[in-house]
Amino acid sequence: MTPTWSSSPNEIRSRQHLNSRRLKHIIFITLAFTLVLVALSFFDEVTEGRNSSFDLSKSYNFVDDARQLGIQEAPDSVNGHDHGDDFLFNPSASIEFIDDQDETRQLETHYKNSIQDPRFRILCTADTQSMAWGSYQARCVTLKNYADQCAPFAHVITRVLPEPGFCAHYNATLYVKGIPPQREELGRIFIDVVDKYDIKEEDIREGMEVIVQNKLQGDLYNKNHVTHIVEHWYNNDPEDTYIPEIRDLEKGSPLKVGNVCCGCPSPKIDSSNVEFTMIDEKVEGTPITAWFLKFMSSSGWTESQMTKLVETNEYGTGMLYYSVFRTLFDVMIVTPKRRFDKLTYGSIQRIVSVMKSGVPVLVEVRGPAFEMFVDRYGYSCVYAENPIGIKKYGTLEDALKKMHDANARKQCQEEGLKIAEDFSPSVMAKRLLVTLGYKGDFKC
């Protein structure tokens, strides 16, 4: 006969009470541990966002008032942002559009076996109009290219925003030049303002984070949102290591100076020993293929060569610009646009893109954005046109006199190339991935 055991009612109640206490202890410890992890994660996110920014004292005294400087010229923008600063990227570069079925298959694999597919998923998107412009393509397509090569546990997806109810899930979403809907499947949402200056903090939903170009732009959004400074990288091939030779000017030969911009005012140059060329893309047209041969056909370029380079090389458009800089000019001048928002919050991408070409660059210090940049790096090849700025930075005439000396131009070249290293796609894309929450390894 099989033996049986029985317990008294008191013993049963005692065991039940003991088990209940044990269960409460387990639940309490689990909840406490979870709260600690959440607190640490929040602290880490906020600290990372604050530490990524360039520390600039609010008592910084700028040499001019951008608000006064910015009211003279009519805006050259469309819907609040200016496309002229996108000029160094190939607008025909491809964007990876994932179809719904392919996305679903990837997600099913990811959810069923996260050990085999432990990637950090980032959706990099914008509205359809913004996706056609270089600022989106430089930010998202270049980010994806870098992640595919160097961040094995990151999966960057460049596509339009999925419809509500679509089964995709992302760890983070980067939305360029706009405010996306707040949906759980988008993960942490980051708004990359760029030059969409009509985005107001009160319109940004709670919990969304904001990526800006400098501290002053960050101050517009950091009252109720976490902000991160991630500047735009230069828009050309990082593998382009060609450095143009600095030539000695023959006695009496002019210094060849150029400025390429869309809607920038032309510098006033009175020196008879300077040959200055202003290429205003607002006049000549965009993209660069609209005017490239006008200036470069005499150097042997043909339409077929130009077209082939743009169509077959991701950085083809940027290489056309570099050909202009390197072939035609001893010195490039970079001037800011005369609008308050551009002068104060604008990208310094044009400066570093021209610096990467290896052609010596003279920067006009006008407005806080350019002034913060040159002071941050101690860049010496600068000038100003207002009286207060001239006392600190000197005049354009003084700067051009120095540029007649090959050694002075060589110094500008070396300083510029050194600065450009900080704005390479690899350096800045890595910073952006970390900002978006990626904690995996980097192979390069």
Side-chain angles (χ1 to χ4, degrees), residues 162-181:
E163 293 294 325
F166 186 59
C167 65
H169 174 80
Y170 306 96
N171 300 100
T173 294
L174 178 64
Y175 200 91
V176 181
K177 291 188 176 185
I179 303 175

Side-chain angles (χ1 to χ4, degrees), residues 122-126 131 136 139-141 143 156-160 172-176 432:
I122 299 169
L123 173 64
C124 205
T125 187
M131 290 181 80
Y136 168 81
R139 202 60 141 179
C140 291
V141 176
L143 177 67
V156 178
I157 300 157
T158 52
R159 57 159 296 157
V160 295
T173 294
L174 178 64
Y175 200 91
V176 181
L432 182 56

Side-chain angles (χ1 to χ4, degrees), residues 78-99:
V78 177
N79 295 328
H81 57 283
D82 178 5
H83 302 305
D85 286 346
D86 292 346
F87 75 108
L88 278 178
F89 200 86
N90 183 359
S92 63
S94 60
I95 300 174
E96 178 201 23
F97 289 98
I98 308 292
D99 64 72

Side-chain angles (χ1 to χ4, degrees), residues 319-384:
M319 294 173 70
L320 291 182
Y321 279 98
Y322 279 17
S323 294
V324 172
F325 303 160
R326 292 165 173 170
T327 303
L328 301 182
F329 305 120
D330 299 307
V331 176
M332 288 294 298
I333 291 179
V334 178
T335 54
K337 298 182 179 181
R338 302 297 200 262
R339 285 169 42 197
F340 168 73
D341 45 19
K342 289 286 186 182
L343 290 166
T344 308
Y345 316 121
S347 166
I348 44 77
Q349 184 186 52
R350 280 195 299 122
I351 300 177
V352 295
S353 290
V354 181
M355 285 178 169
K356 179 61 172 64
S357 73
V359 177
V361 180
L362 279 179
V363 177
E364 180 193 1
V365 182
R366 182 189 291 262
F370 276 26
E371 186 175 354
M372 284 189 293
F373 174 78
V374 300
D375 286 358
R376 171 182 174 183
Y377 284 98
Y379 187 62
S380 64
C381 307
V382 296
Y383 72 94

Side-chain angles (χ1 to χ4, degrees), residues 288-298 301-303 306:
I288 186 176
T289 50
W291 55 263
F292 179 78
L293 293 178
K294 173 181 176 180
F295 295 91
M296 295 295 289
S297 59
S298 59
W301 278 85
T302 65
E303 185 171 0
M306 175 187 72

Side-chain angles (χ1 to χ4, degrees), residues 203-249:
D203 297 330
I204 300 175
R205 297 169 182 85
E206 182 180 356
M208 293 185 177
E209 302 174 47
V210 185
I211 294 177
V212 296
Q213 293 298 302
N214 62 33
K215 183 185 182 301
L216 295 180
Q217 191 177 36
D219 289 343
L220 299 176
Y221 303 102
N222 61 14
K223 183 178 180 181
N224 297 306
H225 297 84
V226 175
T227 59
H228 312 264
I229 296 177
V230 184
E231 296 116 322
H232 275 273
W233 42 80
Y234 60 72
N235 282 333
N236 211 310
D237 187 355
E239 302 300 322
D240 176 15
T241 58
Y242 175 76
I243 301 176
E245 183 180 354
I246 302 297
R247 70 185 183 103
D248 288 314
L249 297 178

